[in-house]
């Protein structure tokens, strides 16, 4: 019997973004997507890469707390307090 785990909606990355890696210094997954742009003096459209990021602090802390790993969750939070989006991540 195969059990399928529900994914955390906060961990779902935009389907139009190709994830490139996890950057722990900014508590985010960073990826790239196509961006449609008009080419000057031309009627055609062009595409250029557009970087995107997705924060992961909140779902990681919630996962650790659900696993009963309060000390690890606290350590992760303490290491992340200097991050510019820290307060937003814990909403």
């Amino acid at each position: 019997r195969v059990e399928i785990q529900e994914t955390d909606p906060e961990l779902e990355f935009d389907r139009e973004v190709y994830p490139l890696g996890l950057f722990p210094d900014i508590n985010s997954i960073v990826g790239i997507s196509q961006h449609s742009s008009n080419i000057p003096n031309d009627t055609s459209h062009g595409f250029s890469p557009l970087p995107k990021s997705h924060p992961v602090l909140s779902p990681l802390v919630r996962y650790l707390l659900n696993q009963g790993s309060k000390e690890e969750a606290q350590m992760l939070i303490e290491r992340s307090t200097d991050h510019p989006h820290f307060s937003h991540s814990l909403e």
Side-chain angles (χ1 to χ4, degrees):
R1 179 176 171 194
V2 176
E3 290 186 32
I4 299 174
Q5 293 181 331
E6 287 188 36
T7 59
D8 187 336
E10 287 188 43
L11 287 177
E12 289 187 15
F13 208 69
D14 184 347
R15 296 185 190 275
E16 294 183 9
V17 177
Y18 180 77
L20 297 175
L22 176 63
F23 287 83
D25 292 345
I26 61 170
N27 297 320
S28 294
I29 296 172
V30 175
I32 196 160
S33 69
Q34 278 189 341
H35 173 70
S36 176
S37 59
N38 289 329
I39 299 172
N41 300 327
D42 199 338
T43 58
S44 64
H45 290 279
F47 293 95
S48 59
L50 183 66
K52 298 272 187 164
S53 67
H54 185 79
V56 294
L57 179 61
S58 179
L60 286 177
V61 169
R62 185 173 43 256
Y63 173 80
L64 290 170
L65 291 174
N66 287 336
Q67 297 297 312
S69 303
K70 293 179 183 179
E71 293 83 18
E72 288 87 353
Q74 183 175 354
M75 286 182 354
L76 179 61
I77 290 169
E78 288 171 358
R79 285 192 309 232
S80 303
T81 56
D82 292 335
H83 186 270
H85 301 289
F86 174 74
S87 60
H88 176 70
S89 296
L90 295 180
E91 288 181 354

